[in-house]
Amino acid sequence: MKKLIVALTGIIYSLTSFSQAPYELPKLNYGYDAFVNNIDKETMQIHYEKHHAGYVSNLNKALEGKKFANLPLEVIVLNATHFDNAIRNNAGGHYNHTMFWTILTPEKNQKPSEKLLSAINNDFGSFESMLEKLNDAASKRFGSGWAWLIVTPDKKLVITSTPNQDNPIMDVEGPRGFPILGIDVWEHAYYLKYQNKRADYLKSIVEIINWEQVSKNYENALANPFLKEIEKDSWKELNDFHEIMAITFHSAEKGNFEPIRTRHMELAEKATALKQGTIPASFNNEAVKNAIEKLEKETQKMCKIASGKKVTDKQLMEQLEIVHKAFHDLSGSCEH
Ligand code: MN
């Protein structure tokens, strides 16, 4: 966990406006009776005062006394699988509902901004066909979960859905991206008025979507630093290298040189795979290419040294430090 926090420091510094623990229930911009023809007053009240409030207080409880209790909510969500389930579920629940309230409006049948509409037309053919896909994702989500309209790291709009209180920012099976619209399909969102008829609820809720807000979310998502983090997460060759680097380097730091003595070939192979693999678009620049080049060279050298018959731990450590620094130079190049 300490390593994770260190890795996240850079991104946290660049995000000062995000909410931090102890988390609070956000204020609603309308009354519980704002949507009576679409969502009844009692459902709104219970959903907000019991369910959402429950996620907030359980999240605060789960974080109590933890070193990472002050992380912005988005950082917890982005790294959800690194935390225990209580934190993952309640952070997701808080994040998802906070967005959900803002994308509803009593002003019926709004339309997206010109820019968002043109992106929708590009990626789905038409507004109607996007709504159909959204409806489909929401209907087919088995059990409890959410349906989403997201912006992916390559700036495309995609419809997806997630179980429970997960969301597409999380480091779980993708498509991953930044959500600009989320529909709650937990029964608690509709059961009192619609009972088991999720389809009727879905048909009704699209009438009260706050497209003005979703259009703002779209603009914000395009510039969101988390998109780049998500893209970096999906860089398989980088992750593969990181894994073996961490095992060999951190063991050596603790005086155990067995991993580097036996796995140096693997380290070099992963570096070569990184060099030959496709660099994700946002990182495809000269600085990153040079850093990969350097890393590969140094891992080859590592191999040569580690294959030597009388190589000492000190010699191994010296070159490992160089490889480790080359990796961090590469990681650093990805931040800019
Ligand atoms: Mn809900």
Side-chain angles (χ1 to χ4, degrees):
M1 186 54 69
K2 193 179 154 208
K3 250 183 289 164
L4 169 73
I5 309 278
V6 173
L8 292 170
T9 315
I11 182 164
I12 294 166
Y13 282 142
S14 62
L15 300 165
T16 48
S17 62
F18 291 93
S19 61
Q20 282 178 239
Y23 301 102
E24 285 170 16
L25 198 58
K27 296 241 168 347
L28 295 183
N29 291 327
Y30 39 71
Y32 296 134
D33 57 356
F35 318 110
V36 279
N37 293 323
N38 304 73
I39 307 172
D40 60 283
K41 189 176 166 185
E42 201 183 358
T43 295
M44 284 300 294
Q45 185 166 3
I46 295 172
H47 200 173
Y48 176 78
E49 287 182 11
K50 303 291 178 196
H51 292 282
H52 189 173
Y55 298 122
V56 174
S57 78
N58 288 331
L59 176 61
N60 286 332
K61 239 179 265 164
L63 288 170
E64 224 166 50
K66 298 256 163 69
K67 270 189 193 152
F68 46 87
N70 283 321
L71 289 174
L73 183 58
E74 286 77 0
V75 174
I76 294 181
V77 171
L78 184 72
N79 298 281
T81 63
H82 292 79
F83 298 95
D84 62 41
N85 278 343
I87 296 176
R88 170 177 170 171
N89 291 334
N90 290 297
H94 181 30
Y95 184 90
N96 298 345
H97 287 86
T98 299
M99 154 180 270
F100 184 63
W101 307 127
T102 65
I103 59 98
L104 300 179
T105 175
E107 259 180 68
K108 282 192 172 181
N109 300 313
Q110 281 192 3
K111 286 279 175 274
S113 70
E114 228 169 90
K115 186 171 172 184
L116 175 55
L117 188 60
S118 129
I120 287 172
N121 288 337
N122 251 330
D123 293 332
F124 300 100
S126 69
F127 182 66
E128 289 67 31
S129 125
M130 181 277 298
L131 284 183
E132 244 169 67
K133 280 211 166 74
L134 182 66
N135 186 72
D136 203 46
S139 327
K140 287 182 180 155
R141 166 51 52 198
F142 184 77
S144 300
W146 292 75
W148 307 97
L149 176 60
I150 67 170
V151 177
T152 58
D154 56 354
K155 313 285 160 75
K156 292 257 181 290
L157 290 168
V158 167
I159 297 283
T160 183
S161 100
T162 55
N164 307 317
Q165 293 298 353
D166 283 358
N167 69 46
I169 301 174
M170 289 184 177
D171 52 340
V172 292
E173 285 274 318
R176 292 181 64 194
F178 212 79
I180 62 172
L181 161 65
I183 306 285
D184 190 342
V185 296
W186 282 58
E187 279 189 347
H188 69 221
Y190 61 86
Y191 199 82
L192 294 182
K193 186 174 171 79
Y194 298 96
Q195 286 84 47
N196 59 332
K197 291 171 252 161
R198 190 191 280 184
D200 293 351
Y201 156 72
L202 293 174
K203 206 170 143 194
S204 182
I205 200 165
V206 292
E207 292 177 4
I208 52 168
I209 287 177
N210 187 341
W211 283 103
E212 195 184 315
Q213 183 61 46
V214 178
S215 303
K216 276 185 206 156
N217 293 347
Y218 177 59
E219 293 286 345
N220 293 337
L222 289 175
N224 195 297
F226 286 103
L227 268 192
K228 225 173 149 184
E229 288 298 310
I230 291 170
E231 190 177 10
K232 197 171 164 190
D233 274 1
S234 65
W235 190 354
K236 189 181 176 298
E237 290 85 0
L238 187 75
N239 293 334
D240 288 352
F241 183 85
H242 191 188
E243 198 181 318
I244 176 92
M245 168 91 260
I247 294 167
T248 51
F249 181 71
H250 295 300
S251 301
E253 273 185 317
K254 289 179 203 141
N256 176 11
F257 288 83
E258 186 63 18
I260 189 60
R261 283 181 188 273
T262 53
R263 299 181 72 177
H264 55 87
M265 289 286 285
E266 216 179 311
L267 194 68
E269 278 162 21
K270 298 294 181 198
T272 305
L274 185 58
K275 191 174 145 186
Q276 289 170 350
T278 307
I279 303 173
S282 303
F283 309 113
N284 198 350
N285 59 51
E286 282 310 305
V288 169
K289 278 187 208 159
N290 291 339
I292 293 175
E293 193 84 30
K294 170 115 198 285
L295 181 67
E296 209 247 350
K297 222 178 87 197
E298 295 300 343
T299 56
Q300 298 294 349
K301 210 167 151 193
M302 180 82 248
C303 252
K304 223 170 175 182
I305 292 170
S307 316
K309 282 209 172 110
K310 286 180 181 165
V311 60
T312 64
D313 289 350
K314 186 166 172 280
Q315 287 168 320
L316 286 172
M317 197 64 216
E318 274 170 14
Q319 183 59 20
L320 252 182
E321 296 269 12
I322 293 170
V323 171
H324 184 250
K325 186 179 177 300
F327 177 71
H328 278 280
D329 288 347
L330 166 61
S331 260
S333 303
C334 296
E335 305 298 329
H336 305 297

